[in-house]
Amino acid sequence: MAAPILGGKLALESHAAAPALSLAGDSSLAREEYVLDVTRRGIELRGGSVSAVLYGLQSLRQLAFENRGTIPVVRIHDKPFFAYRGAMLDVCRHFSPIGEVKRFIDILALHKLNVFHWHLTDDQGWRIEIRRYPALTQTGSVRRGTVVGDHRTSSEYTDEPYGGYYTQDEIREVVAYAAERGIMVIPEIEMPGHAVAALAAYPWLGCTGGPYEVMRTWGVSEDVLCIGKESTLGFLKDVLTEVLELFPSEYIHIGGDESPRKRWKSCPFCQERIRREGLRNEAELQSYLVRRIEEWLRDRGRRLIGWDEILEGGVSQDATVMSWRGTRGGIEAARHGNRVVMVPCDYFYFDYYQTHDPARVERETVATGRPDDVPHVTVRRAYEFSPYEGLDGGQRQCILGVQGNIWREYMVDFRQVEHMLLPRLAALAEVAWSCDRRDFPDFSRRLFRLKELYDQEGYRYAPYFFNGTDTVPQ
Ligand code: ACM
Ligand code: ZN
């Protein structure tokens, strides 16, 4: 069990009869709580679960690294503040083969996060093999070209086809790899918006019937799934049936964000559904879809999670809301007693600019948000997020945790992903583990040591925090 984390990098010698390193479960500890005891006689690590022991091993790895292989006598007793500590990777706008996905998972494990949210379908590519619908990957995983530069101003495209997808065997391999590191993989299958790749494969899923083309540029499409036709619901259930076989996670993410209602307004099927179901408007039509999928998932022992737009036409108590447009949706959901994961874009979108220095901003890859938008998502800003603002004691119970997002429009290769992820992910991990005992100067000191570990592992990271260029120039 220690091998994936400690690797061959730590040679443990014992001069006593006892083993140099003993790992044990301890039912008196909370599920994610661990106690790491390093004495002259050896190292004893106890945890309330396998995951908890893994966190202890990560701490041991850091200790060994920071002390050049000699572990000091120390006792660490820790447990995370939040049960949900996640990071999302978009593989639709730009793709990562599973080697890179595993590297992303390794980075999450180093930061003691426990959820990998895998954004698998979008307008620009469908990335998961579904046996029953082969065109999703045959057609839907490839776009004809890709917008060059900032999509808000560019009308230039490459004419290089761009594609990629995961076979079901690869998905299983990634899920198992993550599980060995204490990480749950939550798949995201987007509906009803961000679904143009599916429409291109099966045009009958849309209101107009198409034809549709896998999108070459970023943004939001007016073409979305037709909720009027029962065949769309059948398709979604078929897809999710295969998804549930691959992913054991309690939560299944159904997207739900940025779905324009224009097509539904002029679609006879959608309008007929609205009439027959007594819905008041198109916002309730989206809620109708979410409710049907939510019930279907619940019958199979799973929970639905979606972006905060799923609140707009009313949402069932059992849905979990991922608040991304700031914290407003999360606060509203928690006040209704829904479970919430906080992913506010102005704190935890790691595709946003991470330095205020205009000269540096120019040298960043184009990022989401505009260079002159303030505030940028600096390390300090992410660190200072207050997950409970606006909530009373009971409502706070609804906040499951926090997550950072990597949207890949402008991150063509994985080195850029690392540059945007690190070191901001460390600030997120700090909120997730210890937002009740924050101390920025102390965190800063520790982050400089973590940076050396990034160097050893060959992880790329942004330099701005470390060289003092991420703050607003005075
Ligand atoms: C999102 O960023 N559209 C969830
Ligand atoms: Zn329709």
Side-chain angles (χ1 to χ4, degrees):
M1 171 177 160
I5 292 172
L6 300 178
K9 289 170 197 146
L10 192 61
L12 293 170
E13 282 176 37
S14 176
H15 301 296
L21 171 62
S22 86
L23 309 178
D26 182 341
S27 58
S28 72
L29 298 174
R31 209 182 69 73
E32 294 195 288
E33 184 175 12
Y34 71 90
V35 180
L36 173 66
D37 256 319
V38 181
T39 65
R40 291 178 177 283
R41 282 178 295 109
I43 302 168
E44 193 188 291
L45 171 56
R46 291 176 291 122
S49 63
V50 172
S51 298
V53 173
L54 291 169
Y55 305 142
L57 286 172
Q58 290 291 357
S59 293
L60 190 59
R61 169 192 184 188
Q62 279 172 262
L63 278 171
F65 174 75
E66 287 168 14
N67 295 282
R68 309 277 180 261
T70 307
I71 299 164
V73 169
V74 71
R75 181 186 171 88
I76 297 177
H77 184 173
D78 205 2
K79 65 174 184 215
F81 188 85
F82 283 118
Y84 184 114
R85 306 180 303 279
M88 188 211 77
L89 181 65
D90 168 14
V91 291
C92 300
R93 279 52 177 265
H94 286 101
F95 183 69
S96 272
I98 61 168
E100 291 173 359
V101 176
K102 289 179 180 177
R103 193 170 162 94
F104 189 81
I105 289 167
D106 287 341
I107 293 173
L108 304 199
L110 170 62
H111 293 81
K112 303 188 181 105
L113 303 185
N114 63 354
V115 177
F116 166 41
H117 169 177
W118 205 356
H119 184 80
L120 286 163
T121 72
D122 215 304
D123 299 315
Q124 296 81 9
W126 182 283
R127 307 272 176 239
I128 171 174
E129 176 191 18
I130 300 294
R131 297 224 158 102
R132 181 139 186 195
Y133 296 97
L136 286 172
T137 41
Q138 279 161 11
T139 302
S141 74
V142 185
R143 57 179 182 256
R144 192 156 64 78
T146 302
V147 66
V148 176
D150 188 333
H151 80 282
R152 291 162 296 204
T153 49
S154 173
S155 50
E156 192 190 329
Y157 297 87
T158 66
D159 50 19
E160 281 280 294
Y162 186 96
Y165 70 90
Y166 307 105
T167 65
Q168 294 200 349
D169 282 343
E170 286 178 314
I171 300 254
R172 280 191 204 92
E173 189 177 328
V174 168
V175 169
Y177 186 90
E180 277 175 25
R181 285 151 185 82
I183 292 174
M184 177 60 71
V185 186
I186 297 182
E188 180 181 354
I189 306 296
E190 276 264 23
M191 62 186 82
H194 286 294
V196 172
L199 296 179
Y202 297 103
W204 48 265
L205 290 168
C207 290
T208 64
Y212 306 101
E213 185 192 3
V214 182
M215 280 175 71
R216 296 180 297 152
T217 189
W218 324 126
V220 173
S221 172
E222 284 172 352
D223 287 314
V224 302
L225 297 175
C226 175
I227 303 177
K229 293 186 245 178
E230 198 54 29
S231 51
T232 308
L233 273 295
F235 166 84
L236 291 171
K237 290 174 186 175
D238 289 342
V239 167
L240 289 173
T241 297
E242 295 190 32
V243 167
L244 296 195
E245 283 165 14
L246 295 168
F247 295 92
S249 58
E250 178 185 14
Y251 290 97
I252 301 294
H253 204 302
I254 55 94
D257 58 317
E258 299 179 321
S259 185
R261 297 162 187 150
K262 183 173 167 184
R263 294 284 183 262
W264 301 339
K265 286 192 200 317
S266 53
C267 170
F269 298 102
C270 287
Q271 290 306 312
E272 173 60 17
R273 176 82 83 190
I274 287 174
R275 244 187 329 274
R276 226 181 17 218
E277 298 293 335
L279 307 173
R280 275 180 305 193
N281 52 38
E282 286 75 19
E284 291 194 359
L285 185 62
Q286 177 164 347
S287 296
Y288 168 84
L289 170 73
V290 174
R291 207 160 33 246
R292 293 234 354 225
I293 298 295
E294 197 265 315
E295 284 165 11
W296 187 90
L297 287 172
R298 185 156 20 112
D299 286 347
R300 285 153 186 80
R302 308 297 184 102
R303 288 176 186 272
L304 176 144
I305 184 166
W307 302 113
D308 58 61
E309 285 91 334
I310 65 171
L311 289 165
E312 285 172 8
V315 71
S316 123
Q317 197 68 50
D318 290 320
T320 301
V321 172
M322 199 169 255
S323 187
W324 74 278
R325 295 176 297 179
T327 54
R328 199 166 24 93
I331 290 170
E332 183 191 332
R335 286 181 179 160
H336 284 102
N338 285 84
R339 296 166 156 228
V340 173
V341 176
M342 288 291 193
V343 196
C345 57
D346 49 341
Y347 290 88
F348 291 150
Y349 266 34
F350 299 148
D351 51 326
Y352 279 29
Y353 286 104
Q354 54 185 328
T355 166
H356 287 88
D357 183 333
R360 309 262 168 194
V361 164
E362 271 167 32
R363 269 186 271 146
E364 287 275 284
T365 59
V366 178
T368 310
R370 291 169 197 277
D372 50 355
D373 277 350
V374 275
H376 292 171
V377 178
T378 60
V379 169
R380 178 151 202 156
R381 181 158 173 91
Y383 182 85
E384 288 178 344
F385 175 64
S386 302
Y388 287 153
E389 212 162 282
L391 298 172
D392 69 23
Q395 294 159 352
R396 292 178 179 192
Q397 303 290 316
C398 294
I399 309 298
L400 299 179
V402 291
Q403 177 174 294
N405 282 356
I406 289 281
W407 298 103
R408 287 281 289 277
E409 284 90 340
Y410 300 109
M411 293 175 231
V412 176
D413 66 52
F414 198 73
R415 302 303 280 170
Q416 290 166 291
V417 170
E418 291 178 14
H419 172 84
M420 298 302 270
L421 189 65
L422 301 176
R424 291 186 286 189
L425 192 71
L428 172 99
E430 202 77 5
V431 175
W433 268 78
S434 43
C435 72
D436 55 337
R437 46 195 154 111
R438 275 185 280 198
D439 175 344
F440 192 71
D442 179 60
F443 167 66
S444 302
R445 274 190 297 278
R446 287 184 285 114
L447 196 49
F448 272 91
R449 298 208 295 263
L450 188 59
K451 165 183 174 290
E452 291 180 26
L453 186 53
Y454 294 163
D455 281 325
Q456 175 184 276
E457 296 296 333
Y459 296 145
R460 189 171 156 194
Y461 52 84
Y464 314 118
F465 172 82
F466 302 111
N467 65 17
T469 56
D470 61 345
T471 50
V472 185
Q474 298 298 316

